[in-house]
Amino acid sequence: MTETKMGLRELKKAQTRENISHNATRLFLERGFDNVTIADVAAAAQVAKMTVTNYFPRKEDLALDLHDVFVGMLARTVREREPGESALAALRRAFLAAVAAHDAVIGFSGEPFARMITESPALVARLREFHDEREAVLAEALAEETGAGPEDMRPKVAAALLGGVHQVLFEETLRRTIAGRTHEEIAAALAPAAEEAFGLLEPSLGGYAIR
């Protein structure tokens, strides 16, 4: 297959995925996540039900469509940290940059979307799985970056602490969003909160995993 044909095929797949995701989000916001079926999404996107499940095996992932980015973001930041920078410093720097950018991956989603997530037990549970997966991937990255052996608990403990801070800050962003705060107001409150939260880890992790 030529590169052109492969490129067109990949473009078509991306367009189909985006169409499904767009229509799913619209329906979820209009009716509530738990009141929309896969068949409803397929009809709105004008595709077969099987096409929807091929792109999104779980209904929850139609709403939470940033799984790979979310799960891998902390590990990627650690692997790409600057020379002389610790894992903690790199993650704090990246988080503050995401706050300034009002990044949806850290919770800047808008009130309707945030409310949709928090009012659905299924989405709350799936989001918890995202956090757990992210922590596990971060622990693997920390182990690789520090040369830790399989019996070394430090990467797992560090990942639990670092992942826990990110989860607390994510939930705080959702809470403020649901309370009707603007992105600018949330960012203004979240930046100092993040500085304080990461600062609490400085005594234990400030010198850990320095490149």
Side-chain angles (χ1 to χ4, degrees):
M1 182 178 293
T2 67
E3 291 185 7
T4 300
K5 288 183 178 179
M6 179 62 76
L8 290 173
R9 180 181 179 185
E10 293 304 313
L11 177 60
K12 178 64 174 177
K13 289 173 64 176
Q15 290 173 336
T16 300
R17 192 181 196 283
E18 183 178 356
N19 174 47
I20 294 170
S21 177
H22 171 76
N23 280 283
T25 300
R26 177 177 59 80
L27 290 176
F28 293 152
L29 292 176
E30 289 175 357
R31 307 180 191 175
F33 177 80
D34 297 326
N35 298 321
V36 176
T37 66
I38 295 294
D40 293 333
V41 173
Q46 297 184 323
V47 298
K49 183 178 177 181
M50 184 176 295
T51 300
V52 175
T53 55
N54 283 340
Y55 283 92
F56 301 93
R58 296 179 60 164
K59 179 186 167 186
E60 291 81 4
D61 293 339
L62 281 162
L64 302 172
D65 191 20
L66 294 172
H67 174 270
D68 292 347
V69 175
F70 188 97
V71 170
M73 64 185 295
L74 304 189
R76 183 177 63 256
T77 297
V78 167
R79 290 194 172 99
E80 296 175 355
R81 69 197 185 284
E82 300 292 335
E85 191 173 41
S86 68
L88 172 62
L91 289 168
R92 174 168 46 202
R93 172 176 54 79
F95 186 85
L96 291 173
V99 171
H102 302 168
D103 195 337
V105 181
I106 66 166
F108 285 86
S109 56
E111 183 179 351
F113 194 85
R115 195 174 296 279
M116 177 192 74
I117 292 175
T118 57
E119 290 178 353
S120 168
L123 288 178
V124 170
R126 182 59 174 148
L127 189 56
R128 190 177 300 117
E129 291 178 1
F130 278 24
H131 285 293
D132 290 344
E133 290 177 44
R134 183 170 66 175
E135 180 183 315
V137 172
L138 175 59
E140 291 176 4
L142 289 170
E144 292 171 6
E145 292 293 311
T146 60
E151 303 301 320
D152 192 337
M153 294 295 293
R154 284 176 294 181
K156 293 181 180 179
V157 173
L161 293 171
L162 293 164
V165 163
H166 281 83
Q167 182 170 350
V168 167
L169 292 171
F170 184 93
E171 291 171 353
E172 179 63 14
T173 303
L174 286 185
R175 185 186 71 80
R176 290 178 179 273
T177 300
I178 292 171
R181 304 292 186 266
T182 66
H183 283 351
E184 290 74 18
E185 289 172 333
I186 294 170
L190 198 61
E195 290 280 16
E196 180 179 8
F198 284 109
L200 291 172
L201 300 184
E202 190 69 38
S204 56
L205 295 178
Y208 177 70
I210 296 177
R211 169 161 282 177

